[in-house]
Amino acid sequence: MQRRHFLITPPALALGAAAGPVLAAPAVISAQSRILPLRGKGPRIVICGGGWGGLTAARYLREQIPDADVVVLERNATFWSGPMSNKWLIDIVNTDFVQHDMLRPANKYGYTLLQTEVTGFERDRKLVRTGHGLVEYDYLILSGGIRDAWDAWFGDDQRAIDHARAHFASAYIPNQQMLALKQRVKDFRGGTLVMTLPPPPHRCPPSPYERACLIASHIKKNKIPGKIVILDPKPKIAPIGMGYQQAFEELYPDIITHVPNARVQEVDPFNKRIKTTAGELKFDEAILMPPHQAADMVWHAGLIGKDPATGKPTGWADMHTRLFHANGDDRVYFVGDLMGAISPQFGHYPKSAHVANYIGQIVAKYIAQRVAGQEVRALLPDNLCYMMVNTEPQEEISVKFEYEVDATGQVIQNQIDMDVRSADLVKEDFAWARSKFSDFLAI
């Protein structure tokens, strides 16, 4: 394995994550200082990223390997949930529902939580570089979610990237832009609000349509003279196509316009213009979602996959499709939205919180089996997403994905859409969220 060196990067480029530290920072901070000395007889397992997948893995690793030294490195001071955040944007749930303390689960389950920037890796030496120094590991889990690939639109025009991020960010990377987006929704007084969708795969595939419905309900309720234009690169709404189509046509016919085959070609964030394969448009407000890719940490670890046909980066982790470790380094595992493709039938597992939570449990089991010297047996997740489309009364639709292995050994996906709007699905949604939060946030 070639030795890898990375410089300490500024916060905008940092890879990892952070939460209230259980251990104090060293008195003298140096990029070469070794921090968090190894403790106990068990393996040191470092998790980069304290989201749905990372915190789940931390809990289950401590349960399944009681003597393991589990360390979570997380940039943010608090946990902020992407699921339920669309409802938070229009005050269906309050901030306490989506924002949570991360010290509570760390203290309950017995892992170390350090708020710091992850800035690089030396995989040959099994070291993580952080803003506080070097952290050693025996196993490493990368669970940093996604990055917004603004460069796909703007190249190296940093001025345009900064302006788009500052004024029109989608907040699909929680904790950084959520409050600003909520204020923009509240401040919208009319005109055209454009929402761009990334090309698949992207984070939580059905959720941008839910966001459009909920903002449309806000516009409708408050009699705002505005409309929402969804620029979708796909040929049709997916997933839950029928349910969303009916919501657009029956609930918001004068507010929501869905434009298929609208791949973004150019964006002028300064003059509020956008050009797509379906035409050009001027906007008054925008929620811009550039293409999604694996979090910066996967790029810095040198573990991004390559397209076998073109040799170009896939943008996602290069990983074993059943065991979820890096193809080039079996001491590194991937959890959550940064994961690479799984199957030629459906591509990627949905980049959803439900899957991240499930994969976090699976990877914890895989590592526990390895530590115990047992055979690692491949497992499959499932996926479940609820989406609110109406607020008066509150009604939701839903989609479920089930997985199995076919006769050739390939993972195949079965999709079950629940297109009929239902108040019962609202109850199921909130029960699902509370159950998951209890699972890894100890609340």
Side-chain angles (χ1 to χ4, degrees):
M1 195 74 66
Q2 290 185 344
R3 184 169 178 172
R4 306 187 62 84
H5 296 277
F6 296 99
L7 298 176
I8 297 298
T9 58
L13 296 178
L15 325 174
V22 171
L23 299 182
V28 178
I29 296 177
S30 164
Q32 299 302 319
S33 301
R34 294 205 178 206
I35 60 173
L36 303 180
L38 296 173
R39 60 182 185 179
K41 299 179 181 179
R44 158 70 64 81
I45 307 165
V46 173
I47 302 170
C48 298
W52 278 69
L55 295 185
T56 299
R59 176 206 164 156
Y60 285 93
L61 282 165
R62 287 290 299 132
E63 288 188 359
Q64 296 180 39
I65 317 175
D67 61 352
D69 180 10
V70 178
V71 177
V72 175
L73 308 175
E74 169 52 49
R75 177 177 55 209
N76 295 308
T78 58
F79 170 88
W80 198 303
S81 176
M84 312 304 285
S85 64
N86 283 336
K87 301 174 182 66
W88 170 81
L89 285 175
I90 62 166
D91 298 321
I92 291 173
V93 300
N94 60 26
T95 301
D96 288 344
F97 198 90
V98 294
Q99 186 181 40
H100 297 283
D101 166 36
M102 288 187 283
L103 283 176
R104 177 195 291 265
N107 290 331
K108 178 175 180 177
Y109 299 123
Y111 56 82
T112 299
L113 180 65
L114 179 66
Q115 182 175 358
T116 191
E117 297 279 1
V118 177
T119 59
F121 302 90
E122 294 184 36
R123 290 192 286 111
D124 59 325
R125 299 171 64 197
K126 293 188 174 59
L127 293 172
V128 181
R129 290 186 176 275
T130 80
H132 290 83
L134 302 173
V135 181
E136 300 169 270
Y137 67 85
D138 295 298
Y139 294 92
L140 177 66
I141 296 176
L142 302 185
S143 188
I146 63 163
R147 68 180 290 264
D148 283 326
W150 294 104
D151 51 304
W153 289 355
F154 302 117
D156 59 359
D157 186 348
Q158 193 61 47
R159 179 169 170 265
I161 292 173
D162 291 344
H163 189 86
R165 183 187 289 119
H167 295 278
F168 306 116
S170 68
Y172 263 64
I173 301 175
N175 231 335
Q176 296 183 14
Q177 303 150 348
M178 295 301 300
L179 292 169
L181 176 58
K182 182 166 185 170
Q183 191 61 50
R184 286 162 50 206
V185 170
K186 288 189 173 184
D187 289 345
F188 183 62
R189 294 293 180 263
T192 299
L193 189 160
V194 165
M195 292 180 56
T196 64
L197 273 61
H202 64 82
R203 170 165 276 182
C204 199
S207 66
Y209 305 118
E210 178 195 44
R211 178 176 287 183
C213 287
L214 293 182
I215 296 176
S217 74
H218 168 77
I219 289 173
K220 182 178 178 180
K221 177 180 179 181
N222 293 284
K223 298 180 172 59
I224 297 169
K227 62 180 181 178
I228 299 170
V229 178
I230 303 172
L231 300 176
D232 194 339
K234 302 185 296 297
K236 61 182 180 179
I237 300 168
I240 333 180
M242 182 62 72
Y244 276 122
Q245 189 68 44
Q246 290 175 346
F248 295 169
E249 294 175 353
E250 297 171 8
L251 301 175
Y252 313 111
D254 300 322
I255 299 175
I256 294 178
T257 299
H258 175 259
V259 183
N261 297 309
R263 180 176 55 83
V264 173
Q265 295 176 314
E266 296 178 17
V267 178
D268 181 348
F270 305 103
N271 295 302
K272 300 183 179 180
R273 293 183 182 275
I274 188 165
K275 179 181 178 182
T276 77
T277 49
E280 296 187 35
L281 188 67
K282 183 172 175 58
F283 56 84
D284 300 288
E285 180 59 270
I287 299 174
L288 300 180
M289 296 177 66
H292 288 172
Q293 295 178 343
D296 291 345
M297 62 175 66
V298 186
W299 297 80
H300 285 254
L303 295 174
I304 290 290
K306 290 186 178 181
D307 186 308
T310 66
K312 294 181 179 179
T314 63
W316 304 100
D318 179 22
M319 51 174 267
H320 192 291
T321 58
R322 299 298 312 281
L323 302 181
F324 310 143
H325 60 67
N327 283 326
D329 188 341
D330 69 358
R331 289 298 180 112
V332 181
Y333 285 83
F334 302 106
V335 169
D337 294 351
L338 49 68
M339 294 170 64
I342 300 298
S343 166
Q345 185 232 6
F346 61 87
H348 295 240
Y349 283 135
K351 297 187 180 300
S352 71
H354 186 102
V355 169
N357 173 259
Y358 212 130
I359 297 294
Q361 297 179 52
I362 290 174
V363 165
K365 183 167 289 188
Y366 287 167
I367 295 175
Q369 290 171 338
R370 288 183 65 177
V371 169
Q374 301 170 355
E375 178 187 358
V376 178
R377 299 189 177 186
L379 301 171
L380 294 170
D382 63 19
N383 184 51
L384 182 61
C385 294
Y386 297 93
M387 301 295 154
M388 184 172 286
V389 294
N390 193 14
T391 59
E392 294 182 347
Q394 291 185 0
E395 295 175 320
E396 299 199 13
I397 56 180
S398 182
V399 61
K400 183 176 183 179
F401 297 88
E402 296 176 341
Y403 298 94
E404 58 184 335
V405 180
D406 68 12
T408 69
Q410 294 287 350
V411 180
I412 59 173
Q413 172 181 277
N414 298 306
Q415 178 177 330
I416 305 167
D417 288 351
M418 285 153 272
D419 293 304
V420 179
R421 299 191 296 273
S422 167
D424 289 339
L425 290 176
V426 177
K427 296 177 183 177
E428 290 183 20
D429 186 9
F430 278 81
W432 169 86
R434 291 188 177 99
S435 173
K436 294 301 181 183
F437 289 157
S438 175
D439 178 62
F440 68 91
L441 290 173
I443 58 176

